[in-house]
Amino acid sequence: MRASLLALAIGAFGIGTTEFVIVGLLPEVADDLSVSIPSAGMLVTGYALGVVVGAPLMTAAGARLPRKTMLVVLMAVFIAGNLLCALAGDYTALMGGRLIAALTHGAFFGIGSVVAADLVAPDRRASAIALMFTGLTLANVLGVPLGTFLGQEFGWRSTFWAVTGIGVVGLLGLIALVPAQPAPERGALRGELAVFRKPQVWLALTTTVLGFGGVFASFTYLAPMMTELAGFSDGAVAWLLVLFGVGLCVGNVLGGRAADRSLMPSLYLILGGLCLVLVIFTFTSRATVPAAITLAAFGAIGFATVPPLQARVMQQAAGAPALASAANIAAFNLGNALGAWLGGLAVAHGLGWTSPTWIGAGLAAAGLGTAALSGRLDRRSRGRHAQPGASRPTAPLPNASAPTGPLCAQHPSAGAGYGTHPIVEQKSR
């Protein structure tokens, strides 16, 4: 791994850790700040909404800056947000710090993936991006569980101090190791806006919101569900997150391979499987061993959704990879926010700790319905174009195996979390 890619990977590790580590610390945060667990769960929703706003906003704001400069600025803002979290004396300050950190998330991954691709020869771009996003994988397999353990042992603020330190290391690495990068060409962003006139693009983004919202409705309240229902100790939560992380990495790879072979059938199967696993989880979550087994399966099937969801968006947004990538980041995180909010609403109304998982199953089913509608429109379109005189071809399928969700990049052609337009461009050349 080139030193410059290592610097990018460290940044990805810090961002991935700060996004999801709050899930394992909800009870500690709620107790210390004297708020309910559903209110603490809004810290997940708030971060996700920050990414939704920040992904296109920060990408557009930095459109004329050299890429290295923009990465340095983003990492500095990320450090400031996590420092505010570490110093937060109340819930409002903690939420503010989370929102500031979230603004950098989407733009860092989008711009960082372009930089990683430019650091190597054209035939190694996908591998370079995969190496960069090894940091994102490690964040969920190691960073989140270790951050949870640290917060439980020394207080939740210690976790954010640690993430702030990681951000400083990443910032110094970017300054010292990443070579100067040119600014993007002027006018490129304006030209990409036209793709959002296509109804199929919005259907694909809606499927991402609903499908991934199903994952986060349950995942956000994993800690209290495992301790209150399954009977695990607080200290076991970190290990359960490791188990979940291993499952999601496996699922992300398998989902990519399945989508490579047949995109829409794979998407139907995976979303249907997610709905089924979540229904099963509502029953198995009341016993330790069945809960642990189902949790691993949930991680696998939940993040098997990511490659086909990303591939579908990129397929329908052909010709606008940069902005579509940012839009898909927003869609994933809007799903995060929606699922966390609906799950917290159910808990706050006394429906029990399994209610978020039931809501997740419903969201997954709705995502399946949206995907089916989109597929039906595709078939109608192909039928019309197959008639004599029709000449417009269907959009080419991009590399479906580029994992783009928030967590994992293990496939040989894997790419950036929530968006991998450089991979798509590389594969199409």
Side-chain angles (χ1 to χ4, degrees), residues 17 22 30 32 84 86 101 116 135 144 156 162 181 220 238 243 246 311 313 341 348 363 388 404 414 419:
T17 298
I22 195 69
D32 184 58
L84 180 57
V144 171
W156 61 267
Q181 296 283 321
T220 300
L243 181 64
V246 171
V313 170
W341 175 69
L363 288 172
T404 56

Side-chain angles (χ1 to χ4, degrees), residues 82-148:
N82 281 281
L83 182 61
L84 180 57
C85 290
L87 295 171
D90 56 31
Y91 178 83
T92 301
L94 179 57
M95 178 64 82
R98 295 278 292 168
L99 288 172
I100 291 172
L103 290 175
T104 69
H105 185 121
F108 184 89
F109 286 137
I111 297 170
S113 61
V114 175
V115 171
D118 287 344
L119 289 172
V120 297
D123 61 346
R124 297 185 58 199
R125 287 181 175 177
S127 296
I129 297 172
L131 287 173
M132 171 190 167
F133 281 89
T134 298
L136 198 60
T137 302
L138 292 177
N140 290 273
V141 177
L142 297 177
V144 171
L146 290 176
T148 300

Side-chain angles (χ1 to χ4, degrees), residues 189-200:
L189 188 62
R190 189 185 307 112
E192 292 192 350
L193 289 172
V195 76
F196 294 100
R197 298 173 184 169
K198 300 178 180 179
Q200 281 284 37

Side-chain angles (χ1 to χ4, degrees), residues 166-220:
I166 294 169
V168 171
V169 174
L171 175 63
L172 295 175
L174 290 172
I175 294 172
L177 302 174
V178 175
Q181 296 283 321
E185 295 181 5
R186 294 187 178 185
L189 188 62
R190 189 185 307 112
E192 292 192 350
L193 289 172
V195 76
F196 294 100
R197 298 173 184 169
K198 300 178 180 179
Q200 281 284 37
V201 170
W202 290 104
L203 277 175
L205 292 171
T206 301
T207 303
T208 295
V209 171
L210 294 172
F212 216 67
V215 175
F216 258 73
S218 180
F219 177 66
T220 300

